[in-house]
């Protein structure tokens, strides 16, 4: 099976712009989670989707949003970009939303905001 | 307030040494994960634990739910084990993930 894929892998945006990142889970996986990783804050949970429904959300402002499609692919959107949004954005997929399912991580999208 | 604390932050070992990384957490959890991140960013899930002990090759992970503590052990360490090891917990209230700040391990040949 192919692993989790994320596109694009690298992105440079200007402050104030918006960005959309994409995540394709492993075939058969119905749960997708998104994480932000920065040198200062480390890894932080953004949100989790299962069967097109957001199940959990981390402590991020409303500028961060996401969605999941019927084929389990997921997108996250950040509007009105700030310099502090520069980070590695990781998604992970699992078979289900229960804690007993292992997560498989994608390679990440490195976003730089200038 | 950090829900997950890891120690040490940095660790340098000689090849062949036995290594222990510790993780303490303050929330009730449904699962604890040990993750490995190599330079370049890719993250691999090493273990998922809710009780007891698991072993994969030279890696062993243990968890003590009562003490809210987990350890990751690497036996006969090798330079390819050099990476950042991250402890993560899934809270049983709210179902959120919380992450430790990671332990940067360097194994010298």
């Amino acid at each position: 099976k192919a692993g989790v894929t994320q596109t694009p892998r690298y992105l440079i945006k200007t402050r104030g712009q918006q960005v959309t990142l994409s995540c394709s889970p492993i075939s058969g996986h119905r749960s997708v989670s998104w994480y932000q990783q920065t040198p200062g804050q480390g890894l932080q949970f953004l949100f989790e989707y299962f069967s097109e429904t957001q199940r959990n959300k981390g402590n991020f402002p409303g500028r961060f949003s996401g969605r999941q499609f019927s084929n389990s692919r997921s997108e996250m959107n950040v509007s009105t970009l700030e310099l502090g949004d520069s980070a590695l954005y990781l998604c992970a997929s699992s078979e289900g939303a229960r804690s007993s399912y292992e997560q498989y991580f994608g390679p990440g999208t490195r976003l730089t905001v200038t | 307030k950090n829900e997950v604390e890891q120690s040490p932050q940095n660790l340098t070992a000689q090849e062949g040494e036995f290594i222990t990384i510790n993780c303490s957490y303050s929330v009730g959890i449904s699962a604890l994960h040990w993750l490995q991140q190599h330079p370049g960013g890719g993250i691999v899930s090493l273990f998922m634990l809710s009780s007891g002990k698991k072993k994969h090759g030279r890696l062993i992970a243990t968890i003590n739910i009562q003490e809210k503590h987990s350890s990751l052990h690497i036996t006969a360490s090798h330079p390819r084990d050099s990476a950042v090891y991250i402890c993560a917990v899934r809270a049983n209230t709210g179902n959120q993930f919380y992450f430790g700040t990671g332990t940067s391990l360097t194994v010298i040949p």
Side-chain angles (χ1 to χ4, degrees):
Chain A
K1 278 187 185 175
V4 179
T5 58
Q6 291 187 246
T7 56
R9 293 293 310 280
Y10 303 91
L11 200 51
I12 300 174
K13 288 286 191 179
T14 303
R15 195 169 49 181
Q17 288 185 315
Q18 78 163 20
V19 67
T20 299
L21 311 182
S22 181
C23 173
S24 293
I26 291 171
S27 176
H29 285 194
R30 296 167 62 193
S31 178
V32 173
S33 299
W34 288 91
Y35 305 92
Q36 181 198 64
Q37 187 176 38
T38 60
Q41 299 294 321
L43 267 166
Q44 296 184 89
F45 170 72
L46 279 158
F47 22 67
E48 178 184 22
Y49 287 88
F50 177 75
S51 292
E52 301 178 67
T53 302
Q54 185 180 90
R55 289 179 58 89
N56 299 294
K57 189 176 194 303
N59 190 23
F60 278 81
R63 300 185 297 108
F64 291 81
S65 63
R67 58 179 177 168
Q68 187 180 32
F69 301 96
S70 58
N71 62 358
S72 295
R73 190 177 70 84
S74 178
E75 290 181 345
M76 66 162 282
N77 184 276
V78 188
S79 62
T80 320
L81 283 165
E82 300 177 0
L83 296 178
D85 297 332
S86 295
L88 179 67
Y89 290 88
L90 292 151
C91 82
S93 76
S94 61
E95 289 181 53
R98 290 171 55 187
S99 61
S100 54
Y101 291 108
E102 189 163 352
Q103 294 212 320
Y104 296 84
F105 286 81
T109 293
R110 189 165 294 281
L111 172 65
T112 302
V113 181
T114 62
Chain B
K1 161 171 107 69
N2 292 330
E3 287 81 2
V4 181
E5 301 278 357
Q6 274 185 249
S7 63
Q9 281 192 302
N10 297 285
L11 186 53
T12 300
Q14 289 291 133
E15 183 174 355
E17 282 187 8
F18 181 85
I19 288 163
T20 296
I21 300 170
N22 294 299
C23 174
S24 296
Y25 53 91
S26 58
V27 297
I29 69 168
S30 54
L32 180 144
H33 299 250
W34 280 102
L35 310 173
Q36 181 192 57
Q37 186 171 32
H38 281 284
I43 291 181
V44 173
S45 176
L46 297 174
F47 293 102
M48 184 176 63
L49 293 161
S50 55
S51 65
K53 176 179 172 177
K54 286 190 176 179
K55 183 175 189 291
H56 290 155
R58 296 179 295 105
L59 274 60
I60 303 166
T62 64
I63 187 168
N64 185 318
I65 296 294
Q66 287 72 33
E67 294 185 3
K68 293 188 174 178
H69 182 269
S70 175
S71 293
L72 175 68
H73 306 286
I74 304 175
T75 63
S77 59
H78 190 276
R80 64 175 175 267
D81 297 327
S82 297
V84 174
Y85 293 83
I86 301 168
C87 174
V89 301
R90 187 167 185 131
N92 55 18
T93 304
N95 236 10
Q96 281 206 27
F97 278 98
Y98 298 101
F99 295 88
T101 52
T103 295
S104 180
L105 170 65
T106 302
V107 181
I108 299 169

